[in-house]
Amino acid sequence: MVITATLTDEPHLRLVASKSAFTLPHATESTGRIDLIEHGPQSKIDFGAKIYGIDLNNFTDADFDFISDALHKYKFLVFKEQPNMLDPRQQYKLTACFDPDEKTGGFAHGADPFLTEHNGIKIYGLPKRPAIPIQPQVHILGRGPLPEGHYQFPPGFEVQGIDHEEFHLPPHIPPEQREAGASRFYQWHFDASLYNIPPPRVGCLLAVRTPKGPDVTVRWDDGTGTEMKIAPGATAMVAGSRALELLDPETKNIVMHSRIEYAPHAFVWMSTAHSARLGHLLETEGLEKPLDQLPPWSQDKVCVYPMVWTNPKTGEKSLQVHGQGAFKLYLKDTADGPERVVDDLAEVRAFMQKIMRPVISPENIYAHPHEEQDVILWYNRALWHSIIFGTLFMYLSGRVIEQWAIIFMLVGVNLFGHF
């Protein structure tokens, strides 16, 4: 059964996930230990650590304090040697701990559209990102059929995969080149609804089934000829602190004092446009959905964020921007200086290209090679990430599946507070 989304603004077709109160088991100290991720001699990556000794299905309050301190320091954590697959209810609990005051139920992208009801089972999410019925804040990324009875999904449910041909500017990667291992980054971003709801503090992925095969060749396809070998199904990350470091002094001074206004219902707005082939911007073709054709919106719910965010525990500053959703810029040279408003999309994107493109270079990218039962947790207010497209094939339950990890994805929890 392949599910087709019902996208509507009718309130009876929108569901609201509840947030349950919970208390973590108490412990006087954590069992966790840290091992830094080693990067190559040519690498400019300064983030990432492996965590051992913590069973995330049974973590304690002391474990969470250990995790929170490590996350703010290293920004990207990989939990290794999990004795059992992480339960989606525990995955949500892990991220919800980062925001104890959040009240909405934890949808980083807002209340998801109700898809269908099959044999009395309501399903949230989108066909390419369905939510797990027993914990709808946790979504599945991947492609292919789910096992029978998988956390209350209806029998025969299949996850639909994402393809760059649906979003990227043509020409696309030809099938024969994809079969030979050519790939692209899909979308460089931080997780956020970009309308009404502040971005989550953390993101979390659990690798359930990972693709097998040789590395793929990720192509920039932006005229530079840049390529990078990446493990199949990897998640690519770059640091906003490194992006800030690479800017020339004048541009760095501007971003330190400037803000971005994102389009209302940004993902609906961009749904009719083309992404640049590198996945960091939209092409300026006039294809965005007109504002009067978007779902109802109000100016007071439009998100205007600073370009630079500060880590509350370390004080580190990160350039955190979502290039594809950028709608208007408010540029200043000094905190008290005059503000220049840029509302021409071509000019907006030229500026976003200037501040985003330098960091998207192989020496700055960590592409985590997922191993089954790995859990990764990242500080969503300091890192950008992107999935990649794979072209080799794996078999699951006798079905051919494109090279995507079958993974749970926790979209995140909302955090109302400072950046």
Side-chain angles (χ1 to χ4, degrees):
M1 176 183 64
V2 177
I3 304 299
T4 301
T6 303
L7 294 174
T8 176
D9 292 307
E10 297 179 51
H12 70 281
L13 288 180
R14 289 199 176 262
L15 306 179
V16 178
S18 61
K19 180 177 180 180
S20 301
F22 59 84
T23 301
L24 295 179
H26 177 65
T28 56
E29 61 181 3
S30 174
T31 56
R33 60 188 193 278
I34 297 174
D35 185 13
L36 299 187
I37 295 175
E38 295 184 2
H39 305 290
Q42 304 302 316
S43 174
K44 302 297 183 181
I45 302 163
D46 65 351
F47 60 88
K50 299 177 183 177
I51 305 296
Y52 297 88
I54 295 178
D55 177 2
L56 292 177
N57 280 314
N58 297 284
F59 69 96
T60 66
D61 54 0
D63 290 331
F64 176 74
D65 290 342
F66 178 93
I67 292 167
S68 180
D69 288 343
L71 181 69
H72 285 84
K73 183 175 182 179
Y74 300 111
K75 296 177 283 196
F76 179 90
L77 304 179
V78 186
F79 294 84
K80 306 295 291 187
E81 298 179 355
Q82 293 296 297
N84 295 291
M85 195 71 72
L86 180 61
D87 186 278
R89 290 157 290 202
Q90 282 292 115
Q91 189 174 5
Y92 175 61
K93 183 181 293 186
L94 173 63
T95 61
C97 284
F98 282 89
D99 184 19
D101 298 324
E102 190 276 319
K103 306 298 184 185
T104 70
F107 282 99
H109 293 280
D112 276 326
F114 169 69
L115 284 179
T116 189
E117 182 167 337
H118 183 78
N119 292 337
I121 298 174
K122 294 180 173 64
I123 301 173
Y124 296 79
L126 300 168
K128 303 177 188 303
R129 184 176 52 81
I132 295 177
I134 66 167
Q135 191 68 66
Q137 295 88 348
V138 179
H139 294 231
I140 294 181
L141 289 178
R143 186 188 298 273
L146 297 180
E148 294 297 315
H150 189 70
Y151 293 108
Q152 299 179 0
F153 274 103
F157 191 93
E158 294 190 20
V159 180
Q160 301 175 20
I162 299 172
D163 195 292
H164 80 290
E165 292 186 2
E166 301 167 352
F167 189 35
H168 283 198
L169 181 73
H172 304 125
I173 300 176
E176 64 275 10
Q177 294 181 26
R178 298 180 68 178
E179 291 173 7
S183 183
R184 277 187 192 165
F185 299 112
Y186 180 67
Q187 182 187 65
W188 285 103
H189 66 288
F190 63 92
D191 287 337
S193 70
L194 302 180
Y195 178 73
N196 189 32
I197 302 172
R201 186 180 292 276
V202 300
C204 182
L205 287 173
L206 162 67
V208 179
R209 296 286 178 87
T210 58
K212 308 301 187 291
D215 289 351
V216 298
T217 300
V218 179
R219 305 190 324 201
W220 269 235
D221 280 346
D222 64 349
T224 63
T226 308
E227 295 183 345
M228 181 180 183
K229 292 286 188 180
I230 289 181
T235 302
M237 299 270 174
V238 297
S241 57
R242 176 65 177 160
L244 187 62
E245 177 185 339
L246 289 171
L247 300 181
D248 63 80
E250 180 182 356
T251 305
K252 183 177 180 180
N253 189 56
I254 291 172
V255 301
M256 291 292 293
H257 301 101
S258 298
R259 302 174 297 153
I260 299 179
E261 179 177 320
Y262 292 98
H265 297 296
F267 294 97
V268 180
W269 174 77
M270 73 175 71
S271 64
T272 51
H274 286 125
S275 167
R277 299 182 189 99
L278 184 52
H280 64 314
L281 301 172
L282 294 183
E283 295 289 335
T284 305
E285 304 171 286
L287 297 179
E288 299 84 6
K289 190 177 286 292
L291 297 186
D292 61 1
Q293 295 181 22
L294 296 176
W297 61 277
S298 59
Q299 189 64 41
D300 64 316
K301 294 182 179 179
V302 167
C303 291
V304 182
Y305 296 150
M307 294 184 182
V308 175
W309 299 359
T310 302
N311 185 317
K313 290 194 176 184
T314 68
E316 182 182 60
K317 296 187 181 299
S318 297
L319 179 69
Q320 282 300 100
V321 296
H322 195 302
Q324 293 177 343
F327 184 69
K328 191 180 294 186
L329 304 179
Y330 300 89
L331 303 181
K332 297 175 67 173
D333 294 322
T334 63
D336 299 323
E339 189 170 68
R340 181 169 72 93
V341 179
V342 179
D343 56 8
D344 177 81
L345 286 176
E347 191 176 347
V348 168
R349 288 164 187 159
F351 187 83
M352 300 304 291
Q353 167 75 5
K354 183 178 182 179
I355 65 175
M356 293 184 72
R357 179 60 182 86
V359 78
I360 308 176
S361 185
E363 69 272 15
N364 302 314
I365 296 171
Y366 175 62
H368 177 66
H370 296 281
E371 295 181 352
E372 292 175 8
Q373 293 193 193
D374 269 2
V375 177
I376 68 171
L377 191 71
W378 68 92
Y379 188 42
N380 187 50
R381 299 186 172 197
L383 299 180
W384 318 347
H385 64 279
S386 177
I387 59 173
I388 64 170
F389 293 101
T391 56
L392 304 177
F393 296 93
M394 62 174 286
Y395 286 84
L396 178 62
S397 302
R399 299 289 298 278
V400 177
I401 301 173
E402 283 200 43
Q403 187 169 277
W404 287 80
I406 305 300
I407 53 180
F408 293 148
M409 177 182 181
L410 182 62
V411 177
V413 293
N414 307 326
L415 183 68
F416 296 87
H418 298 290
F419 296 111

